[in-house]
Amino acid sequence: MVLGGGQRRSDDTTPDPAKEADVLARCVAIEPALAAAEVLEHTVGLRPGRAAPRVAAERRGDALVVHNYGHAGNGVMLSWGCARAAAALALGTAPPA
């Protein structure tokens, strides 16, 4: 299981014990069984964001480049729809409704 939190406008990838404790406390408040879980590691990931995710196709010479980025902390929430739209662009089919 992966637990995580979000912090805007940070490019620091150093784990912060205070933030780790805060994330765990908030998750335990939702699911008390997590209090007994073994923590295997702490990592920090960057979630680049834009005003709106970019899902678009672009021709570069003979290649078709499909962009699908900029989701910030909404990546999981938007992943299925954006992946379908990106696949449709790559396949040259109509995007899903």
Side-chain angles (χ1 to χ4, degrees):
M1 180 175 295
V2 175
L3 308 179
Q7 176 183 353
R8 296 190 186 275
R9 302 185 192 275
S10 176
D11 59 358
D12 185 4
T13 58
T14 306
D16 179 336
K19 290 178 185 166
E20 294 164 3
D22 179 59
V23 167
L24 184 57
R26 287 185 288 119
C27 292
V28 167
I30 296 168
E31 176 51 68
L34 291 172
E38 177 186 1
V39 176
L40 301 178
E41 69 178 319
H42 293 282
T43 59
V44 177
L46 301 179
R47 297 179 182 138
R50 301 165 39 99
R54 182 176 184 196
V55 181
E58 174 186 3
R59 279 265 167 219
R60 290 195 180 172
D62 293 335
L64 176 67
V65 176
V66 176
H67 301 274
N68 184 6
Y69 62 85
H71 301 81
N74 297 312
V76 172
M77 181 173 60
L78 300 175
S79 64
W80 291 101
C82 289
R84 285 187 186 115
L89 290 169
L91 297 171
T93 59

